[in-house]
Amino acid sequence: MEKNTILFMRPVLKEKIWGGNRLSRDYGYDVGENSRIGECWGISAVPGSETCVAEGPFEGKTLAQLWSEDRELFGGLNYEQFPLMVKIIDAAGDLSIQVHPDDSYARRVEGKPFGKTECWYILDCD
């Protein structure tokens, strides 16, 4: 596979009480009738919610599999687990206020390799 080939992932869609229908209407995701999809996990190696490669020589492999089996695809990053998650959120209703752990707390208390640092880009809002 060429070094600059883009891997297109099959997203994981999450229904939420506050979700809406814009992921279907505006972005073309097939979410089914009357669903309230609040999150599209476009890039994820989170166990149980891993995105898969949609096409090409790695079709069907999860991001976590690629991370463990073909690390050279990622430029030699040296983390135990893939360190990034990308979501598109459709918040048709109010979201709760949340406090996320830093890396130290996540390792010590939750047994996870990473805390949760967020960066938001607002694509559209009323």
Side-chain angles (χ1 to χ4, degrees), residues 11 18 31 38 45 50 53 66 68 71 118 121:
W18 43 260
V31 300
E50 295 132 334
V53 179
L66 288 178
S68 66
R71 185 67 62 92
E118 294 186 355
Y121 291 95

Side-chain angles (χ1 to χ4, degrees), residues 64-86:
Q65 284 177 300
L66 288 178
W67 183 253
S68 66
E69 298 169 7
D70 292 297
R71 185 67 62 92
E72 69 278 357
L73 292 172
F74 303 93
L77 294 175
N78 193 23
Y79 295 101
E80 183 180 326
Q81 292 182 338
F82 187 75
L84 178 68
M85 181 194 320
V86 176

Side-chain angles (χ1 to χ4, degrees), residues 10-116:
R10 205 172 307 123
V12 175
L13 303 174
K14 305 269 185 174
E15 193 158 355
K16 301 289 182 180
I17 194 168
W18 43 260
N21 63 5
R22 292 190 68 184
L23 291 170
S24 173
R25 187 184 76 216
D26 295 352
Y27 296 97
Y29 288 104
D30 182 15
V31 300
E33 300 261 340
N34 302 319
S35 63
R36 298 187 60 82
I37 301 298
E39 297 180 352
C40 167
W41 292 25
I43 299 173
S44 171
V46 174
S49 295
E50 295 132 334
T51 54
C52 295
V53 179
E55 58 190 45
F58 299 107
E59 182 175 353
K61 284 197 170 195
T62 68
L63 184 56
Q65 284 177 300
L66 288 178
W67 183 253
S68 66
E69 298 169 7
D70 292 297
R71 185 67 62 92
E72 69 278 357
L73 292 172
F74 303 93
L77 294 175
N78 193 23
Y79 295 101
E80 183 180 326
Q81 292 182 338
F82 187 75
L84 178 68
M85 181 194 320
V86 176
K87 296 180 186 181
I88 300 173
I89 294 177
D90 177 9
D94 292 338
L95 300 176
S96 61
I97 296 173
Q98 299 178 7
V99 177
H100 298 301
D102 62 13
D103 289 348
S104 173
Y105 183 90
R107 282 191 288 274
R108 189 176 72 252
V109 176
E110 298 177 354
K112 307 241 175 168
F114 303 110
K116 190 171 181 183

